[in-house]
Amino acid sequence: MDKIPILKIGHFLMVAIQVDLYDRLALNLEADLVQAVSKTGARGVLIDISAVSIVDSFMGRILGNIAGMSKVLDADTVIVGMQPAVAITLVELGLPLKGVQTALNVEKGMELLQQKLQITGEEESEE
Amino acid sequence: MIVLSSDNMRILKELDMVVFRNRLKEFAVKIGMGLVNQTKLITAASELSRNMLRYAGGGTVLIEIVNGPQRQNGVRVTFSDNGPGIPNIEQAMKDGFSTGKSLGLGLPGAKRLVSDFDIKSTVGKGTTITIIKWKNG
Amino acid sequence: MKLDTAKILQKRKKQILELWMKNQLVDFSLREDLMSNDELTVQSEELVDVLLQTLSGNNLEDLQASSLEAVHEVLEGISISRAKQGYSPRETGMFVFSLKDALLSILAQEIKNDPVQLLDESLKVSKLIDSLGIITFETFIKGREEVILRQTDEITEISTPVIRVWDGIVAMPIIGTLDSSRTQVVMENLLQEIVDTSSSIAILDISGVPAVDSLVAQHLIKTVSATRLMGAECIISGIRPEIAQTVVHLGIDLSGIVTKASLASALRHAYALLQLEVKKVVAK
Ligand SMILES: Nc1ncnc2c1ncn2[C@@H]1O[C@H](COP(=O)(O)OP(=O)(O)O)[C@@H](O)[C@H]1O
Ligand SMILES: [Mg+2]
């Protein structure tokens, strides 16, 4: 079956969703990501959804789950690149994605994660 | 209302939903629907087809291009299943109500995303939901 | 003996057209600025042609007859085009009603020996033209509505400009009421501009919005939520004192939104978020 690749970049994990998500695939991504956060001790997760044209309540819930579970494992989650049409639709659907941070693009998302890390002042203390 | 063209599909497994959403997009593009309205329509349809799979074990969808009262074109989608039906429609249409431990936004959210929403359900017989999204609405 | 009005009129087509043209040309309201006499002749001839061709004893009796559809079509075409050209309803109405005079005078000439018949046939012709008059008005209004719809679209388009205020800051002044279709346009334009310029701050200035009720507030909140989903911050500026009052009186909750009284203070806030500083240069 299809699998969405997870990349490790420094302290962070990055996922770019390039395919049309069906529910099973989204559930697998959730499980894989949480596994990866735990295994690598990553401090941040960046999910690029710029190629995603539909986010419904199921997919929205998965994104929320990923953020919540990563938080428990001490990692921040940033969703980047949401298309305007998707954002407008999500608001109308009634899904504000509370607790999920967002950024305009990958670059800005990385900056945001980096900032968070600096605020907690832990970057240097890594061994 | 005049039906200009139509297509029928069965939704029996998750991958059918992907095929259905793509087909629906073709119809919306054909009448020149804008991207935001397309996205709203397909998102609503995604919710309703998932409900059919989850709560009724599948069903059929009918996609039609219709010409409405103001000579405006639109896409009409009818979801029919022979599942258990919905005992209390008013309750099911409320934000947050779910018997499936999910967000409970599918039905009320879908209604907000389309121009016209009609639901009929008989316990033990099944559920039929018809939505219309006008090209500019 | 039964008279065939349709036949009589068909025979006298040339005279009818002449008379009708004469009636129209003496009408002082004739709009030569909108249409030349030649064009008017072409339109008139087209209508007389199709009318006399389709006229028969049957549809003179039954005005709903489907055989009259061809006439209706020509008439609708003419009156829609007149609506778009800016003719007044009176001018458009006169076009059809002056045909009645022409038809009736010809009938009077042809049936002058039988007053009862004349009255009978005149009534029928009169009714026919009246029904054509109604169709003319209906289509005329429809034509006007189309014009209005198009203008509304244009106004919405031009009344939501997005301004790049600074690197990373876009602003959109909203002028006029904010209804749901307008909100959609505002959102689309604003969000697209945010993507195109990769701006992380958007300022929505509502000084030009006459009133904020709970519905408008809801639209504003939706716009802010959508902006945040994209990863940008949205500041609402231009909150006049009256608006602040109604917001509180109506119990509208804007606490999740950054609101500022003026565009200037919104900008100041935006600069702070971007860690920018605007300073006066001290002359040496
Ligand atoms: N096709 C259907 N057949 C039977 N029950 C349904 C159907 N669609 C929806 N329902 C019922 O309505 C409830 C609300 O649906 P929805 O708003 O989509 O939220 P969710 O799917 O998150 O539960 C469901 O939990 C289910 O009980
Ligand atoms: Mg659902």
Side-chain angles (χ1 to χ4, degrees):
Chain A
M1 269 276 116
D2 298 319
K3 229 174 168 37
I4 298 169
I6 300 171
L7 307 176
K8 185 161 192 298
I9 304 173
H11 299 287
F12 310 127
L13 296 179
M14 191 184 135
V15 171
I17 302 175
Q18 301 284 0
V19 292
D20 222 337
L21 275 187
Y22 52 95
D23 297 3
R24 186 79 255 152
L25 199 57
L27 284 168
N28 288 345
L29 176 66
E30 176 186 307
D32 291 352
L33 254 180
V34 177
Q35 282 285 332
V37 171
S38 162
K39 208 169 73 192
T40 61
R43 304 303 310 278
V45 176
L46 189 139
I47 305 175
D48 179 7
I49 59 166
S50 56
V52 173
S53 56
I54 298 291
V55 175
D56 60 13
S57 70
F58 185 85
M59 171 75 177
R61 186 162 67 118
I62 300 275
L63 292 176
N65 287 350
I66 292 172
M69 294 168 184
S70 303
K71 192 82 225 158
V72 178
L73 296 168
D74 200 22
D76 285 300
T77 303
V78 183
I79 309 275
V80 306
M82 185 183 292
Q83 292 177 12
V86 173
I88 294 172
T89 301
L90 275 181
V91 168
E92 208 66 51
L93 185 66
L95 197 78
L97 288 184
K98 284 221 173 66
V100 179
Q101 299 183 70
T102 52
L104 277 177
N105 47 42
V106 173
E107 203 185 336
K108 293 204 152 108
M110 278 294 178
E111 265 169 39
L112 190 68
L113 287 176
Q114 210 83 50
Q115 269 172 22
K116 293 255 165 188
L117 212 54
Q118 271 155 17
I119 291 167
T120 46
E122 290 175 30
E123 198 164 31
E124 271 76 37
S125 69
E126 299 268 319
E127 64 260 52
Chain B
M1 207 156 346
I2 312 160
V3 176
L4 302 176
S5 64
S6 70
D7 195 8
N8 228 312
M9 298 174 80
R10 274 143 81 81
I11 309 274
L12 298 172
K13 52 184 194 300
E14 259 181 32
L15 280 176
D16 294 340
M17 276 175 62
V18 177
V19 179
F20 160 58
R21 290 195 302 220
N22 290 339
R23 189 87 182 102
L24 186 57
K25 188 179 176 85
E26 284 170 22
F27 274 76
V29 167
K30 194 151 78 183
I31 64 166
M33 191 182 280
L35 184 62
V36 173
N37 283 333
Q38 272 180 43
T39 308
K40 288 183 173 178
L41 169 67
I42 298 168
T43 306
S46 182
E47 296 288 349
L48 300 175
S49 56
R50 175 178 301 105
N51 280 355
M52 266 189 344
L53 265 183
R54 258 181 93 180
Y55 304 114
T60 59
V61 289
L62 171 67
I63 314 173
E64 295 166 302
I65 291 178
V66 292
N67 191 270
Q70 256 106 54
R71 289 194 183 174
Q72 184 168 207
N73 279 347
V75 177
R76 178 166 69 189
V77 191
T78 309
F79 304 81
S80 322
D81 67 59
N82 300 314
I86 302 172
N88 186 341
I89 291 181
E90 199 186 324
Q91 187 183 41
M93 290 301 299
K94 284 216 174 82
D95 275 341
F97 176 83
S98 174
T99 60
K101 294 203 178 72
S102 39
L103 297 174
L105 286 175
L107 290 178
K111 183 174 179 173
R112 285 191 288 269
L113 291 173
V114 298
S115 326
D116 211 271
F117 184 98
D118 179 68
I119 176 166
K120 290 197 175 62
S121 190
T122 313
V123 174
K125 286 237 165 79
T127 304
T128 301
I129 298 177
T130 305
I131 57 175
I132 300 176
K133 186 82 184 164
W134 298 117
K135 185 182 158 194
N136 299 314
Chain C
M1 191 203 89
K2 188 128 176 49
L3 251 171
D4 193 341
T5 311
K7 273 231 174 69
I8 294 176
L9 292 176
Q10 272 149 10
K11 215 171 58 205
R12 303 282 305 266
K13 176 173 141 193
K14 199 160 158 273
Q15 288 90 330
I16 293 173
L17 187 62
E18 270 166 17
L19 231 108
W20 184 25
M21 285 311 296
K22 222 169 74 200
N23 288 348
Q24 290 190 69
L25 292 174
V26 295
D27 185 357
F28 60 88
S29 68
L30 194 72
R31 299 291 296 267
E32 279 177 67
D33 54 331
L34 297 178
M35 193 188 295
S36 71
N37 284 348
D38 290 346
E39 273 176 89
L40 184 66
T41 315
V42 172
Q43 273 194 356
S44 308
E45 207 170 339
E46 189 188 9
L47 187 63
V48 168
D49 263 350
V50 65
L51 179 69
L52 293 182
Q53 254 166 43
T54 42
L55 215 54
S56 70
N58 292 338
N59 52 28
L60 250 180
E61 305 279 347
D62 174 16
L63 297 178
Q64 308 300 324
S66 57
S67 53
L68 282 172
E69 243 163 50
V71 182
H72 295 173
E73 228 164 74
V74 171
L75 197 56
E76 281 168 10
I78 292 175
S79 82
I80 286 241
S81 78
R82 286 186 167 223
K84 287 183 180 160
Q85 280 167 325
Y87 276 83
S88 74
R90 180 179 183 280
E91 287 152 6
T92 311
M94 282 313 289
F95 170 72
V96 178
F97 289 122
S98 58
L99 173 60
K100 190 198 279 192
D101 293 339
L103 291 173
L104 291 183
S105 356
I106 297 292
L107 265 189
Q109 288 171 22
E110 290 283 328
I111 327 182
K112 55 178 174 287
N113 299 328
D114 189 342
V116 179
Q117 275 274 12
L118 178 60
L119 179 66
D120 221 34
E121 298 303 311
S122 297
L123 272 178
K124 278 186 205 158
V125 168
S126 187
K127 267 203 190 127
L128 173 71
I129 298 294
D130 288 350
S131 89
L132 293 183
I134 290 170
I135 289 169
T136 308
F137 279 118
E138 264 179 6
T139 1
F140 183 82
I141 288 170
K142 213 180 316 157
R144 277 297 166 92
E145 275 166 358
E146 276 169 23
V147 172
I148 293 170
L149 272 180
R150 206 194 53 232
Q151 288 172 342
T152 315
D153 278 354
E154 278 167 12
I155 292 170
T156 340
E157 227 18 79
I158 53 175
S159 61
T160 48
V162 189
I163 304 156
R164 300 181 191 188
V165 184
W166 200 264
D167 205 21
I169 307 174
V170 291
M172 186 182 221
I174 301 178
I175 293 153
T177 17
L178 201 55
D179 57 17
S180 44
S181 64
R182 186 89 187 285
T183 307
Q184 169 121 344
V185 179
V186 166
M187 275 204 219
E188 279 187 58
N189 290 356
L190 190 66
L191 298 193
Q192 194 52 54
E193 194 68 16
I194 287 173
V195 175
D196 292 348
T197 61
S198 71
S199 296
S200 48
I201 298 174
I203 302 172
L204 212 54
D205 188 84
I206 60 167
S207 2
V209 176
V212 174
D213 55 15
S214 41
L215 206 65
V216 173
Q218 216 179 25
H219 290 145
L220 289 174
I221 293 170
K222 277 185 188 168
T223 309
V224 173
S225 308
T227 315
R228 287 187 181 153
L229 280 175
M230 309 252 318
E233 183 53 69
C234 187
I235 307 167
I236 309 274
S237 74
I239 315 264
R240 285 175 279 121
E242 314 89 89
I243 290 188
Q245 278 180 311
T246 41
V247 163
V248 172
H249 283 159
L250 293 173
I252 298 167
D253 182 18
L254 291 182
S255 59
I257 300 183
V258 184
T259 51
K260 296 284 168 195
S262 66
L263 188 61
S265 45
L267 259 182
R268 206 170 298 131
H269 183 81
Y271 285 148
L273 286 177
L274 293 179
Q275 290 158 318
L276 294 171
E277 213 177 319
V278 180
K279 268 199 285 194
K280 181 161 188 165
V281 180
V282 183
K284 297 251 166 73

